């Protein structure tokens, strides 16, 4: 590598580092104050860069917001894939540990989902697509049961999870679980994850009750005309 190539590589590395600092600062402040309540100036100050550099890299606050969405979705996907890849022998606390490491991401999701906006459709679509992939891998590894309606199941699970984030204040009121708490102990969220794991692993309905309800929603066969 000649001196000009080395200089170019250093410049690219500096630019990449600056973008990461800006993005991480935005995720933190968006999570604390909301997107509407966070200015580009405050993000630049938090990242230790100029506001002009934020504009240079991301174009606008909307562009920066999109970059934050993409990064958060990617981190959630990687975390889920790591848990699912362990198969039936996965550590039940590994999900909680990932949850704890991702508290800034959860704060960001809570704020951005609560504020809404056109970007939410893309955010949810990306999460559903990722969930389809790692749920299919979980089936292959033997840790997740197959489903007759795999995509619909994924959509329901993603929306349930995001709904719990949006209603985090009610979760805190009723179960004393605070998704936004700075607590370092992942077991603080056990009152939420315990029942969730019970539902996922043991189910809710008895076999007889499930069969009766499933029959109501089953699609009619060729021999059975809908009433």
């Amino acid at each position: 590598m000649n001196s000009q190539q080395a200089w170019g590589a250093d410049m690219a590395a500096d630019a990449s580092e600056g973008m990461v600092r800006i993005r991480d600062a935005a995720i933190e402040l968006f999570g604390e104050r909301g997107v509407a309540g966070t200015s580009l100036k405050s993000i630049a100050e938090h990242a230790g860069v100029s506001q002009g550099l934020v504009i240079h890299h991301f174009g606008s606050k909307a562009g920066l917001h999109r970059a934050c969405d993409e990064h958060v979705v990617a981190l959630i996907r990687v975390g889920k894939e790591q848990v699912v890849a362990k198969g039936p022998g996965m550590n039940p606390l590994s999900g909680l540990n990932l949850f704890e490491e991702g508290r800034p991401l959860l704060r960001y999701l809570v704020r951005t989902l609560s504020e809404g906006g056109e970007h939410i459709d893309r955010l949810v679509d990306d999460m559903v697509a990722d969930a389809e992939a790692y749920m299919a891998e979980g089936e292959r590894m033997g840790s997740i049961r197959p489903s007759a309606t795999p995509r619909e199941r994924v959509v329901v699970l993603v929306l349930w999870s995001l709904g719990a984030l949006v209603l985090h204040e009610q979760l805190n009121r009723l179960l004393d679980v605070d998704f936004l708490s700075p607590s370092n102990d992942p077991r603080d969220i056990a009152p939420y994850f315990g029942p969730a794991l019970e539902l996922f692993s043991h189910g809710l309905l008895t076999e007889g009750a499930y069969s009766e309800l499933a029959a109501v929603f089953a699609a009619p066969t060729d021999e059975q005309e809908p009433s």
Side-chain angles (χ1 to χ4, degrees), residues 85-167:
K86 299 182 186 299
M90 69 176 72
N91 177 0
L93 285 180
S94 60
L96 296 184
N97 292 330
L98 287 170
F99 189 98
E100 171 56 34
E101 293 167 5
R103 291 236 187 224
L105 308 184
L106 289 174
R107 283 193 288 269
Y108 171 83
L109 279 174
V110 166
R111 300 299 185 198
T112 197
L113 288 168
S114 298
E115 290 187 354
E118 295 180 0
H119 74 106
I120 295 296
D121 286 354
R122 179 177 176 181
L123 173 67
V124 174
D125 287 348
D126 287 345
M127 294 182 75
V128 167
D130 288 344
E132 285 186 273
Y134 58 70
M135 290 284 282
E137 177 64 12
E139 288 186 25
R140 191 185 72 81
M141 295 291 293
S143 56
I144 294 176
R145 293 175 179 174
S147 171
T149 54
R151 185 176 189 280
E152 288 82 354
R153 179 174 68 174
V154 164
V155 169
V156 170
L157 288 173
V158 168
L159 294 183
W160 276 355
S161 299
L162 296 182
L165 291 179
V166 173
L167 293 172

